[in-house]
């Protein structure tokens, strides 16, 4: 299917009152804190998307495991890298996400024989 051996970088999000954090600019560009676009809708992003807004999170330690995509087709052999340092989001951003995706979760999968590795970066 062309989805084997993908790498996914997961960034945990944490509610923050710091309205000036660079990560918030990135999230606002995508519509967080307002109304997120609906399924099949298009949205114009007025400025370049700059992943450098998350440079402090990228420089932090991370967890790695091999798993699957969390949405269909749920392909396996996906390398997950979950950053340990969470990025800040506002209460409004959390609310807009919950409003757009009210049932956004997948059952926790058993680890079985997979290994969870923690990096030694700090």
């Amino acid at each position: 299917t062309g989805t084997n051996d993908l790498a996914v970088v997961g960034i945990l999000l944490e509610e923050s009152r710091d309205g000036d954090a660079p990560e918030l600019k990135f999230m606002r560009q995508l519509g967080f804190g307002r109304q997120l676009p609906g399924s099949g809708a298009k949205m114009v992003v007025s400025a370049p998307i700059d992943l450098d807004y998350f440079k402090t999170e990228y420089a932090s330690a991370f967890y790695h495991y091999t798993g699957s995509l969390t949405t269909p087709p749920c392909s396996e052999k996906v390398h997950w890298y979950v950053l340990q340092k969470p990025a800040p989001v506002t209460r409004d951003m959390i609310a807009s996400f919950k409003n757009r995706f009210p049932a956004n979760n997948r059952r926790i999968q058993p680890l079985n024989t997979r290994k969870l590795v923690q990096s030694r970066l700090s």
Side-chain angles (χ1 to χ4, degrees), residues 19-38:
D20 295 326
E23 299 90 341
L24 298 177
K25 182 176 180 183
F26 176 90
M27 300 297 280
R28 286 184 187 109
Q29 284 180 275
L30 300 180
F32 285 88
R34 299 185 313 270
Q35 184 172 350
L36 291 167

Side-chain angles (χ1 to χ4, degrees), residues 10-18 21-27 51 53-58 60 83-90 93-94:
I11 302 175
L12 301 173
L13 304 174
E14 182 174 69
E15 185 177 337
S16 172
R17 296 177 197 262
D18 179 6
E23 299 90 341
L24 298 177
K25 182 176 180 183
F26 176 90
M27 300 297 280
L51 295 177
Y53 289 133
F54 296 96
K55 64 184 170 188
T56 60
E57 289 82 9
Y58 295 143
S60 73
L83 306 181
Q84 289 184 26
K85 181 179 180 2
V89 291
T90 65
M93 290 176 177
I94 294 169

Side-chain angles (χ1 to χ4, degrees), residues 68-70 74 103-110 114:
S68 60
L69 293 177
T70 59
C74 298
N104 181 43
N105 61 322
R106 178 181 176 196
R107 274 188 313 110
I108 295 173
Q109 304 296 306
R114 293 178 288 178

